[in-house]
Amino acid sequence: MSKYILISLFLFSLGNAGAQTVVVNKTEDKKDQHGISFGIDISPFILYAFQPDRIGATFLGRYYFKRNWYSVAEIGFENVDFDENSYAYTSNGGFLKIGAEYNFFKVNDPSNTDNITAGIRYGIATQSQQSPRYTIIDDYWGNYTGDIGLSTVVSHYIDLVAGIRTQVFKNFFMGWTFRLKVLMSSNSKTVLEPYSIPGYGKGDVNVNMGFTYTLEYQIPFKK
Amino acid sequence: MKYVFYIVLTIILSVIFGRCDSGGDDICLSNQNAAQAGLYSAHSLSDKDTVLTDLYIQGVGNDSILYDSVAVNSLFLPLSMHTDTTAYRIKVKTLLDTIWFVYRRDLSYVSSSCGLTMNIEIDTILFTGRFIDSVAINYPYILYNENIENVKIYIN
């Protein structure tokens, strides 16, 4: 219990949530976490303030299908548009991720619906990208400029996910996840590689780190 | 106060991880389309550096002088990305030679932050023989961030 209080206070104590969770409420059982949840990752909106050339959104669905196991699906989009000295670039794309999460956080307190989870997602992304203008610098003969037309890129990747999640109000959850993303394949048909792969991130590396901050609403689902 | 703490922490984490997975701040190189040529004596069995003094080099069709009255033992000769052949006039004292580079160009991706480059593969080198004895292609590829001598020019 003390460990739980510590984690609650450290990570989750928004408003009165930290105080409430230490009260054992016998009338609620663990079925409180049964149900389907729908949520949104708000970290892209925070990032947008610092990187206005990338805009995206991620929505997720979560289903508690077995003791301590969740199935999770995420769907989202990301658009990139910038014009720098070396090249201009646009990309419009979307992604789908499906996977499962296991809740490691076991306490006897039946009102406790907090989770510490680890899981995996498989992701597939498709994007349409082009470079309307690129410039290669040559100070003697003159710069070379050209353009690369629209092409479609399909990418596959795996997210290894570790996260924490708590109920802040009745049926409202919030959570953080940290992710290690591993690119399996990305098949650009032109010389241009994706600047950013939707749902994965930087396109020219094989491993990325990620962070999400999600707000979820759970539709009650009584057995 | 707790609200502020969590909001700030979330913003910091979002930005740190978001920055990590977007284009980095690589140092980008320019003028990567130059053939590197070493100057060697034609009178030595083994490659022996030679220094040309009072050297002028100008691209054919280009108004600006690339080397102007210098003493060097190696040359950087930019190959035009607009054509498949680049010619240079090389003058040493009163002797004038012309050297032609014939090559293939291949557009290539460098990185998300540096964009594109033009890789070059030297196919043939032609030259007049006033003071240039012979020319050898040592390494035909001119690639981004490679620093390899492409051509050996043997001087009479």
Side-chain angles (χ1 to χ4, degrees):
Chain A
M1 179 62 79
S2 61
K3 190 171 77 174
Y4 167 58
I5 295 168
L6 183 68
I7 290 167
S8 291
L9 288 174
F10 178 67
L11 298 170
F12 296 129
S13 57
L14 264 178
N16 56 4
Q20 274 188 350
T21 48
V22 297
V23 178
V24 177
N25 184 347
K26 298 280 186 191
T27 60
E28 289 184 345
D29 67 10
K30 287 287 238 184
K31 286 178 181 170
D32 219 24
Q33 58 185 311
H34 292 182
I36 298 175
S37 303
F38 294 98
I40 184 167
D41 173 15
I42 65 167
S43 61
F45 304 114
I46 298 169
L47 194 60
Y48 178 70
F50 297 87
Q51 287 188 304
D53 53 1
R54 293 169 70 189
I55 185 164
T58 304
F59 304 94
L60 70 98
R62 174 190 298 274
Y63 175 58
Y64 183 90
F65 72 93
K66 194 180 165 188
R67 184 169 175 79
N68 289 319
W69 279 98
Y70 294 92
S71 57
V72 183
E74 296 175 50
I75 190 164
F77 74 94
E78 185 186 58
N79 296 341
V80 181
D81 187 351
F82 64 80
D83 190 345
E84 292 178 354
N85 291 337
S86 54
Y87 70 125
Y89 177 85
T90 65
S91 167
N92 300 308
F95 66 90
L96 175 69
K97 297 182 191 181
I98 52 172
E101 275 181 12
Y102 182 74
N103 174 29
F104 287 95
F105 193 60
K106 290 168 184 151
V107 285
N108 292 326
D109 181 352
S111 68
N112 180 349
T113 54
D114 293 354
N115 303 148
I116 296 177
T117 60
I120 190 166
R121 313 255 199 284
Y122 159 75
I124 181 168
T126 178
Q127 65 194 117
S128 180
Q129 63 163 6
Q130 65 177 325
S131 175
R133 189 268 314 156
Y134 63 83
T135 302
I136 306 172
I137 292 175
D138 177 355
D139 292 330
Y140 189 70
W141 291 103
N143 295 344
Y144 184 86
T145 60
D147 65 271
I148 298 168
L150 269 179
S151 64
T152 300
V153 181
V154 178
S155 307
H156 303 267
Y157 49 86
I158 296 285
D159 282 12
L160 300 173
V161 183
I164 47 184
R165 180 174 175 265
T166 193
Q167 187 166 222
V168 285
F169 305 109
K170 181 73 177 168
N171 293 326
F172 279 97
F173 289 77
M174 66 174 214
W176 288 346
T177 70
F178 297 90
R179 300 181 182 218
L180 184 69
K181 306 173 181 187
V182 181
L183 187 65
M184 294 190 294
S185 73
S186 183
N187 69 334
S188 180
K189 292 183 180 66
T190 65
V191 69
L192 191 65
E193 297 291 336
Y195 178 83
S196 174
I197 295 169
Y200 174 73
K202 189 175 180 181
D204 56 3
V205 293
N206 290 322
V207 176
N208 268 330
M209 302 289 282
F211 170 74
T212 67
Y213 177 61
T214 55
L215 302 175
E216 296 175 33
Y217 177 71
Q218 177 174 284
I219 299 168
F221 178 73
K222 300 292 182 192
K223 280 190 175 175
Chain B
M1 198 59 205
K2 282 176 191 166
Y3 285 99
V4 174
F5 173 73
Y6 290 114
I7 290 167
V8 169
L9 194 57
T10 300
I11 290 172
I12 289 169
L13 288 169
S14 297
V15 171
I16 288 171
F17 283 92
R19 284 251 183 248
C20 284
D21 80 1
S22 63
D25 299 316
D26 301 352
I27 294 167
C28 300
L29 305 172
S30 56
N31 297 298
Q32 293 292 297
N33 54 313
Q36 298 184 38
L39 302 176
Y40 297 93
S41 167
H43 304 289
S44 172
L45 276 176
S46 59
D47 284 346
K48 190 176 171 189
D49 279 13
T50 190
V51 175
L52 288 179
T53 55
D54 201 13
L55 177 78
Y56 291 84
I57 298 182
Q58 185 171 6
V60 175
N62 195 316
D63 291 335
S64 70
I65 294 169
L66 189 64
Y67 287 85
D68 189 357
S69 189
V70 293
V72 292
N73 63 358
S74 65
L75 306 171
F76 280 83
L77 302 173
L79 303 185
S80 171
M81 292 179 281
H82 302 275
T83 62
D84 292 326
T85 304
T86 295
Y88 280 99
R89 284 203 183 88
I90 304 176
K91 187 161 114 13
V92 177
K93 298 184 178 73
T94 58
L95 297 174
L96 178 70
D97 264 333
T98 304
I99 185 166
W100 289 267
F101 293 86
V102 182
Y103 47 91
R104 282 183 284 274
R105 293 168 291 152
D106 184 22
L107 189 66
S108 177
Y109 184 79
V110 178
S111 68
S112 57
S113 50
C114 295
L116 295 127
T117 190
M118 191 72 82
N119 288 335
I120 289 171
E121 182 183 359
I122 300 170
D123 182 79
T124 308
I125 297 174
L126 306 167
F127 58 94
T128 56
R130 302 289 296 282
F131 66 90
I132 296 176
D133 175 80
S134 57
V135 170
I137 298 175
N138 180 51
Y139 178 70
Y141 302 103
I142 301 170
L143 307 178
Y144 188 88
N145 200 21
E146 274 197 357
N147 191 16
I148 299 174
E149 185 177 86
N150 301 107
V151 177
K152 292 177 189 291
I153 299 176
Y154 294 93
I155 306 296
N156 267 324

